[in-house]
Amino acid sequence: MSMHNIRFDFICQRPVPLYKHLCNEYLQRTELAISIGIEHQQNNDTICYFIEACAQQAELEALADDIANDFLLSVWLQKTEIKRINHKTGQTKPFEVKQHQGLPLYFCQHCQPQLGDNQHPHFGDINLVCEHCKGHYKLSRELKSLTHLDIAAMANNLLSEKTLALPMLGITLALSAGNKQTQYRRPRILVCNPNSLNSQFCVTDSQVLALSSIEKPLLRVRPCSDHPSLHAPLYEIQFAENRLLVILTEMLRQKGVHWLYVNQDEVDNTKMNLPLRLASISHYWLPITTLTDGNIPLPNNLTCLHDENNYKTSKYKFLVKSTKHLLEWHVVTLPKLSQVTISQPTKTMLDSERHSPLEHAIDKGEPGKDISNSLCALSAGLLRHNINEHHAKALFVKNAAILYFNKHHPSQIVTVDGHSEAELFFELPMLPSTGYEVCHKLSDSPQKNVLDKFKQLHPREYNQLLDLQLLPSDGALSQLMAVAALIIGAGPNQDKHSKQMCVSAMADKFIALAMSYQGNNAPRIDFPLTKGMAHRSLNWCKTLGSLMSFKLAGDANLAKLAFAFHDSFADYLSHWIEHVDQNIGIKQLVVAGNEFANPVLAERVQLRIGKNFPLVVNPLLDLDGVNIAIGGLYLKQRRG
């Protein structure tokens, strides 16, 4: 019988602790002469875990089946390969596996069908011992004490009281969205019946795979059109992520509950089960903001200029430090008090007596004055580590640009030329603080005739626009989309409470409409540039005027107009980037910022710009948060 050398590859975007752990488990199968390895593939920035085996055909087929069962899907897995090899390159010594948040798992394919299937004798046994995932070790003392009867009582309690507080998980579950919150919040949903997912929400195959992965992320999706009870424009949905929720959701599924609303408890300085919110961009899943501590190998394609830095948002503080081999970060949830006083200097994690030289805080400032966040995101997006490269001289960003769109900072296109000189090319303007002032500006512009006709023919939309309040914290792009939503007629019905008129709700509605559009062709909305003293901006009066023109022409397809806005904006961005390229020569175009969590914007930018300029993201970092803190380590100037 002939022997074959076979290699199983798991090619991942970032480290997956489970795969490292499983490689060690397979090493113990001595009869198959197994070796294991990890390769960092520089050409596409991936990490490849591999298992090599030498055996006969039948044994290899059995091994392949076992591997397929054990290597549970990770959201960071990009592809798998099985190939015949001439000789082995792996090792027979186990990897060092550190305790990690992802290890052991809460449950796996061995124990979940037992504790989570109502037909199984072990159903409801939260303490079920599983030697595969070691999930029984991940239970807190409080969770360990729960019996099948306790969890059944929780399910009944939820059905009768309509809500259930789970302080041990830091969440409260509810059967309905509730009307308590004074401000709009995108609802978070825990799916109880995955089989009915497609009849509730519009999800793609890749989204279903991501939801089913071991990371159990939250994804932003829209409900099915005309759903009888899901009325919000967008939802963040997830599957059960721990043993208690697996059992509880199965009990509720039996009683006909398809989904639950989840409210994260407001607890200061807690890291209790903060969910992983993902966005899809440039063929990667990326965390919108990373909320867990971590590290990456010290990049060696750019020169790190500072030892430490921190960056703050209204809710979190991101502290980073560079060592000889790593960039490490630590995320702190800010207490409510400092969420108000975020501009005060704070202490770094390393030296309590000395302030970080690169402290950032949310700062609207004068338009065009501050490009530091864009530059931080640009550097962070380009950082790479190549074990074969060793540079003697300092390396800085050259011939690059960034599209940085953020809700709480200026949304900008910033360029860096061949001499590493940075320049602000474009900044999206903030709108006036009320819809009344927006209309006043329109009436003072060449759009006056269009506005007058719009006011005459669409008085409801015009009056809603007058009533809209715009806050700087809404972000420039969300402001523009909220006004656009009212113009096309996507405002709330007369009987709806005025809180539905908030910018976030209207922007979500606008995005959901664009997501629902089925066609490829759409009208062209104008996004003309204005040349200011120092940088270009957007003539938003013309943009809104062109939307009004389509509305006046009788275009009643709201989804088409919302899609047209996104597609036209991406097309204009593409032209602007081509213009910049002719001036400075763009070799790398980074995209970053939490506005790219908008799936339509991300998709249209990918299609319109990505064909000419491959979009760059850092697969090891996030869209907005840790990346800004890390990028600050590479900024030449110190902010004082």
Side-chain angles (χ1 to χ4, degrees):
M1 296 283 283
S2 61
M3 305 286 275
H4 305 281
N5 270 333
I6 296 291
R7 176 167 142 155
F8 301 85
D9 283 359
F10 294 85
I11 298 157
C12 303
Q13 167 185 336
R14 53 172 75 193
V16 180
L18 174 68
Y19 292 179
K20 210 174 184 181
H21 164 74
L22 287 170
C23 284
N24 286 351
E25 298 280 300
Y26 273 81
L27 259 188
Q28 294 167 23
R29 300 194 178 193
T30 49
E31 71 281 4
L32 296 174
I34 281 177
S35 50
I36 59 174
I38 300 176
E39 285 176 355
H40 293 267
Q41 301 180 342
Q42 306 301 337
N43 58 338
N44 55 8
D45 291 315
T46 56
I47 297 160
C48 177
Y49 298 89
F50 65 84
I51 293 177
E52 300 164 322
C54 181
Q56 295 172 5
Q57 184 76 22
E59 290 174 306
L60 288 171
E61 285 175 6
L63 176 66
D65 288 342
D66 288 347
I67 287 176
N69 279 327
D70 287 340
F71 275 73
L72 299 178
L73 180 69
S74 166
V75 80
W76 312 126
L77 178 67
Q78 293 191 316
K79 62 176 178 175
T80 58
E81 292 177 345
I82 303 177
K83 53 193 179 192
R84 184 167 287 183
I85 53 173
N86 294 323
H87 57 273
K88 294 181 176 183
T89 56
Q91 62 187 54
T92 52
K93 185 180 153 207
F95 298 133
E96 185 186 333
V97 178
K98 290 180 181 156
Q99 267 306 93
H100 183 279
Q101 201 168 9
L103 276 176
L105 299 177
Y106 286 101
F107 55 84
C108 69
Q109 78 284 11
H110 295 282
C111 58
Q112 195 264 344
Q114 298 178 57
L115 63 91
D117 182 349
N118 67 77
Q119 298 298 309
H120 198 279
H122 287 144
F123 174 55
D125 181 3
I126 199 169
N127 288 292
L128 184 74
V129 173
C130 180
E131 290 307 329
H132 294 274
C133 68
K134 311 279 196 290
H136 51 290
Y137 291 124
K138 283 210 90 155
L139 297 169
S140 65
R141 188 178 301 171
E142 227 171 336
L143 289 171
K144 275 182 189 169
S145 68
L146 295 174
T147 64
H148 181 289
L149 286 174
D150 292 333
I151 302 172
M154 286 178 176
N156 290 329
N157 202 20
L158 177 56
L159 290 171
S160 60
E161 301 294 323
K162 307 292 188 264
T163 65
L164 175 70
L166 295 173
M168 69 285 274
L169 300 181
I171 57 174
T172 299
L173 303 177
L175 291 180
S176 63
N179 298 313
K180 281 187 183 173
Q181 68 256 38
T182 50
Q183 61 196 76
Y184 170 79
R185 237 196 222 149
R186 194 176 300 119
R188 177 175 158 192
I189 291 268
L190 172 62
V191 176
C192 298
N193 186 356
N195 294 331
S196 71
L197 185 66
N198 284 313
S199 59
Q200 320 292 346
F201 298 97
C202 299
V203 286
T204 63
D205 290 346
S206 69
Q207 286 174 320
V208 174
L209 287 175
L211 289 166
S212 309
S213 69
I214 55 178
E215 289 81 11
K216 299 291 180 286
L218 273 177
L219 299 185
R220 191 176 301 186
V221 300
R222 71 180 182 90
C224 294
S225 298
D226 302 318
H227 194 285
S229 48
L230 292 168
H231 302 303
L234 295 175
Y235 289 83
E236 294 182 312
I237 64 171
Q238 68 184 136
F239 287 173
E241 60 172 337
N242 56 55
R243 287 184 171 203
L244 174 55
L245 293 180
V246 164
I247 298 165
L248 200 52
T249 51
E250 172 64 3
M251 287 175 172
L252 292 163
R253 184 195 68 78
Q254 280 181 272
K255 296 176 188 293
V257 177
H258 291 280
W259 73 85
L260 295 166
Y261 290 88
V262 181
N263 294 305
Q264 191 84 35
D265 296 347
E266 296 282 346
V267 186
D268 289 343
N269 278 319
T270 180
K271 287 212 176 162
M272 197 179 272
N273 292 329
L274 288 173
L276 173 66
R277 287 182 162 86
L278 292 184
S280 175
I281 187 152
S282 193
H283 313 300
Y284 287 106
W285 285 112
L286 289 181
I288 298 168
T289 300
T290 298
L291 299 177
T292 50
D293 298 351
N295 63 70
I296 59 171
L298 183 71
N300 54 5
N301 66 326
L302 292 176
T303 300
C304 190
L305 300 174
H306 309 283
D307 297 331
E308 59 184 73
N309 181 31
N310 73 61
Y311 161 69
K312 266 197 301 185
T313 66
S314 59
K315 289 184 180 175
Y316 304 105
K317 183 172 175 184
F318 304 89
L319 304 122
V320 296
K321 62 174 180 174
S322 62
T323 67
K324 195 175 178 185
H325 302 292
L326 293 173
L327 292 181
E328 299 178 286
W329 64 84
H330 176 53
V331 186
V332 178
T333 304
L334 296 173
K336 278 279 177 92
L337 180 65
S338 63
Q339 288 184 26
V340 180
T341 58
I342 52 167
S343 59
Q344 298 300 313
T346 50
K347 295 175 179 180
T348 69
M349 66 173 171
L350 295 178
D351 184 346
S352 60
E353 298 308 311
R354 189 160 52 86
H355 296 314
S356 164
L358 289 164
E359 181 125 345
H360 301 290
I362 292 181
D363 175 23
K364 285 296 167 191
E366 287 179 57
K369 285 285 185 194
D370 189 4
I371 59 170
S372 60
N373 286 313
S374 295
L375 285 175
C376 287
L378 176 54
S379 294
L382 296 176
L383 294 175
R384 297 294 185 269
H385 178 83
N386 186 334
I387 46 179
N388 302 316
E389 280 187 23
H390 303 282
H391 301 286
K393 61 177 187 170
L395 298 170
F396 302 105
V397 175
K398 287 182 178 172
N399 301 100
I402 182 161
L403 295 173
Y404 180 65
F405 292 161
N406 174 287
K407 262 189 168 56
H408 307 296
H409 299 299
S411 290
Q412 300 172 330
I413 298 174
V414 171
T415 64
V416 177
D417 65 15
H419 303 289
S420 297
E421 290 298 319
E423 188 180 337
L424 175 62
F425 174 78
F426 168 80
E427 183 170 310
L428 200 59
M430 300 297 286
L431 296 184
S433 58
T434 65
Y436 176 83
E437 291 173 79
V438 169
C439 291
H440 185 69
K441 290 266 190 193
L442 283 166
S443 68
D444 281 350
S445 78
Q447 311 306 312
K448 178 174 168 34
N449 289 343
V450 174
L451 179 71
D452 289 343
K453 285 182 192 166
F454 182 78
K455 178 179 176 180
Q456 194 181 345
L457 288 173
H458 299 287
R460 184 180 82 99
E461 285 83 349
Y462 179 76
N463 287 325
Q464 284 186 335
L465 185 51
L466 289 180
D467 290 341
L468 186 65
Q469 298 294 315
L470 297 145
L471 299 170
S473 57
D474 292 322
L477 190 56
S478 293
Q479 286 183 345
L480 194 60
M481 288 196 294
V483 173
L486 292 179
I487 287 171
I488 66 172
N493 298 329
Q494 301 293 5
D495 58 338
K496 291 282 173 77
H497 192 270
S498 62
K499 78 172 182 190
Q500 296 298 323
M501 276 277 284
C502 81
V503 166
S504 303
M506 294 311 306
D508 267 9
K509 192 164 186 183
F510 194 69
I511 292 165
L513 278 168
M515 289 166 82
S516 72
Y517 182 59
Q518 299 299 313
N520 289 317
N521 300 322
R524 188 169 173 80
I525 311 296
D526 288 333
F527 283 87
L529 288 176
T530 62
K531 184 75 175 87
M533 292 293 286
H535 67 277
R536 292 154 197 83
S537 187
L538 177 71
N539 177 351
W540 55 264
C541 286
K542 191 84 193 293
T543 304
L544 299 179
S546 72
L547 265 176
M548 286 177 178
S549 299
F550 284 112
K551 184 76 177 163
L552 290 168
D555 206 325
N557 186 335
L558 306 192
K560 187 198 228 174
L561 291 174
F563 175 82
F565 177 100
H566 283 82
D567 188 51
S568 300
F569 184 45
D571 194 35
Y572 273 90
L573 287 172
S574 175
H575 288 303
W576 302 340
I577 293 295
E578 281 169 22
H579 173 80
V580 170
D581 181 44
Q582 286 165 8
N583 289 340
I584 66 159
I586 296 177
K587 293 184 179 164
Q588 300 176 100
L589 177 63
V590 173
V591 286
N594 51 27
E595 291 284 20
F596 282 105
N598 171 348
V600 192
L601 180 66
E603 179 204 42
R604 298 326 290 174
V605 163
Q606 176 69 48
L607 284 169
R608 289 287 190 180
I609 307 177
K611 61 181 187 287
N612 297 324
F613 300 92
L615 304 181
V616 179
V617 295
N618 191 327
L620 299 176
L621 296 177
D622 52 10
L623 273 176
D624 223 319
V626 169
N627 67 328
I628 307 296
I630 281 180
L633 297 171
Y634 293 81
L635 277 196
K636 281 187 183 179
Q637 74 271 26
R638 291 180 171 231
R639 293 188 52 184

